[in-house]
Amino acid sequence: MFIRYIMVFMLAAVAVSPAILAAHDFPEGAVPYEKSRRCSACHPAVYKEWAGSLHSQSSVHKDAAHRAMYGAFLDDMKSEGKEGSYHCATCHTPMADNVKELVDGTAKPNENLWREDEGVGCAFCHRVDTVVEGKDRNTFTINKDGAYISSNPVEKAPHGVGVSQLFASGEICMGCHSHLENQDSVAICSMKEEGQGNCIACHMERKEGPPSTESAKETHASHEMAGGHSLVMLCRAVSVNVKINKTDNSTTVDVEITNKTSHDFPSTMPMRMAFLKVAAFDADKKAVFRNYQVNPMEDRKAVFMKAFRGGGDVGVPAWKAQEVALDTRLKSAETRKFSYPIPNDGVKSVSVEIIYRLFPSQALEKYRALKDADDKSIDTNFTLYKKDFPF
């Protein structure tokens, strides 16, 4: 059953629908984008953070998981006698000068083009004028004069500058992270519905050091933009309360998990999953109880994920999804309770864990390119919480 859910769970980020065509508005005659490396001279700390971020590695040329799933999408299209296109370009290579062509399939990704390879560069985000609301996804309009925009006035800079509330409010993030629908109007991702508050408050927390060599400020907004790949961020996402209720006749493990984020957990991207793992051991460390033996879906209520159904089948690719088949994620501030009765005889300790994965292990077996990709995080159990309770 689990693998049937996972097949869509993963592919949602690759491409959604041949009918969806979206590109950002880069005005005719606008100042060309600059390479992000040019920013490093005056913004060394910010540049270093960005260079190690997923924004800088968002392109199909740098992100091993993204590349693997794009390949899986192309194979799927080929099996249907279709030519696959690169619908992800809108957000994964937004500075490309041929975004429309990449999206409609008349052009293919090219690693020799720096505006593709750089992913979401400094010049892209900091030249956004407006976020354009779209039915299927949002796009941006880019300024024509080349001024670099931020949330606060800049007193001195070797380039044009501007101020926009889009940055202060976090609305800037909604150009790419707002929502994504397929051709059947199924919401594959929908942060605009699931999220609350200001994205920047958590994902661009304040760090020591000025934002530029010309600034007198003591802190700056981190451009690491940490999220689901960061164990530190993940550990902040949930709180866990465990009580062991032991009597002469029975023992019960009661677990409460609370989502501390301002959005669903795991967040809107449906390839993610998290699950609760409970085990009891005897004096020889032999497990005498587990809430599941092999597959977390054996205890389905303790798995947090989203998956889709299409044509009566569960497990279709996201671009063919017709409805949500499963959504067991935690809402913001939601607390979910679990209770497990365990054998009393011989139990000496109980272990409780919360595990998060970017990709379920079953999905890696189906998509070998993922398993073979040079990115260890693809097949990693991120342990958000683990505690042993000896009797």
Side-chain angles (χ1 to χ4, degrees), residues 63-65 229 358 370-380:
D63 185 337
H229 288 69
L358 296 170
L370 268 175
K371 191 174 183 66
D372 296 338
D374 187 20
D375 183 348
K376 292 183 179 179
S377 68
I378 289 173
D379 191 16
T380 296

Side-chain angles (χ1 to χ4, degrees), residues 15-334:
V16 176
S17 164
I20 296 175
L21 302 178
H24 309 292
D25 180 18
F26 189 81
E28 184 177 351
V31 174
Y33 289 121
E34 293 278 7
K35 291 184 178 182
S36 296
R37 183 173 292 279
R38 292 202 61 179
C39 305
S40 65
C42 297
H43 305 273
V46 168
Y47 174 78
K48 183 177 180 180
E49 290 164 355
W50 169 84
S53 75
L54 288 176
H55 275 198
S56 77
Q57 299 165 35
S58 67
S59 78
V60 71
H61 313 302
K62 290 183 177 179
D63 185 337
H66 183 50
R67 181 168 57 253
M69 293 318 303
Y70 173 56
F73 165 69
L74 293 179
D75 289 344
D76 185 80
M77 291 293 98
K78 186 177 181 180
S79 69
E80 296 184 6
K82 301 175 182 178
E83 184 72 20
S85 56
Y86 186 50
H87 299 86
C88 315
T90 306
C91 289
H92 281 263
T93 57
M95 296 195 300
D97 57 9
N98 61 343
V99 171
K100 290 181 180 179
E101 290 76 16
L102 289 168
V103 170
D104 68 25
T106 57
K108 299 294 183 184
N110 184 345
E111 64 182 349
N112 296 315
L113 301 176
W114 76 265
R115 284 171 53 161
E116 281 189 26
D117 190 56
E118 188 156 301
V120 185
C122 305
F124 182 77
C125 286
H126 286 281
R127 287 185 57 183
V128 168
D129 259 342
T130 58
V131 176
V132 182
E133 182 77 16
K135 178 183 180 298
D136 306 303
R137 69 181 81 180
N138 287 349
T139 56
F140 294 107
T141 60
I142 307 301
N143 66 26
K144 187 172 182 176
D145 62 6
Y148 281 66
I149 306 168
S150 64
S151 59
N152 296 302
V154 177
E155 295 181 0
K156 183 179 180 181
H159 51 70
V161 296
V163 177
S164 172
Q165 282 302 304
L166 289 175
F167 291 80
S169 67
E171 186 67 19
I172 183 71
C173 308
M174 292 297 100
C176 281
H177 296 280
S178 172
H179 63 287
L180 182 66
E181 293 185 357
N182 70 5
Q183 61 186 351
D184 291 315
S185 298
V186 177
I188 305 305
C189 306
S190 189
M191 182 59 76
K192 69 175 183 177
E193 303 293 338
E194 300 167 8
Q196 307 170 36
N198 188 331
C199 311
I200 290 173
C202 290
H203 293 282
M204 296 186 71
E205 61 183 350
R206 305 302 299 182
K207 286 206 167 184
E208 292 186 3
S212 75
T213 55
E214 300 293 334
S215 175
K217 296 177 181 178
E218 295 182 352
T219 64
H220 67 277
S222 172
H223 281 60
E224 293 173 352
M225 291 166 282
H229 288 69
S230 166
L231 183 57
V232 172
M233 286 288 290
L234 289 170
C235 287
R236 295 176 187 169
V238 294
S239 63
V240 184
N241 183 33
V242 180
K243 292 183 179 179
I244 310 296
N245 300 304
K246 192 175 188 300
T247 69
D248 291 340
N249 300 318
S250 64
T251 300
T252 303
V253 181
D254 294 323
V255 184
E256 292 185 354
I257 304 174
T258 301
N259 177 5
K260 296 170 62 179
T261 74
S262 297
H263 49 69
D264 288 7
F265 172 81
S267 62
T268 187
M269 183 58 70
M271 66 178 68
R272 316 301 187 210
M273 71 173 295
F275 54 92
L276 170 63
K277 183 178 181 180
V278 179
F281 302 92
D282 63 17
D284 296 323
K285 303 298 183 182
K286 180 181 178 181
V288 296
F289 169 84
R290 297 182 188 275
N291 66 321
Y292 69 88
Q293 297 302 315
V294 177
N295 191 323
M297 283 298 286
E298 295 168 27
D299 185 12
R300 176 171 162 179
K301 66 181 184 297
V303 175
F304 314 112
M305 61 180 283
K306 180 180 180 180
F308 305 95
R309 178 185 290 110
D313 297 326
V314 175
V316 298
W319 54 91
K320 297 177 181 176
Q322 296 174 340
E323 61 181 344
V324 175
L326 175 74
D327 192 347
T328 59
R329 297 173 299 162
L330 286 168
K331 301 299 182 184
S332 178
E334 178 185 354

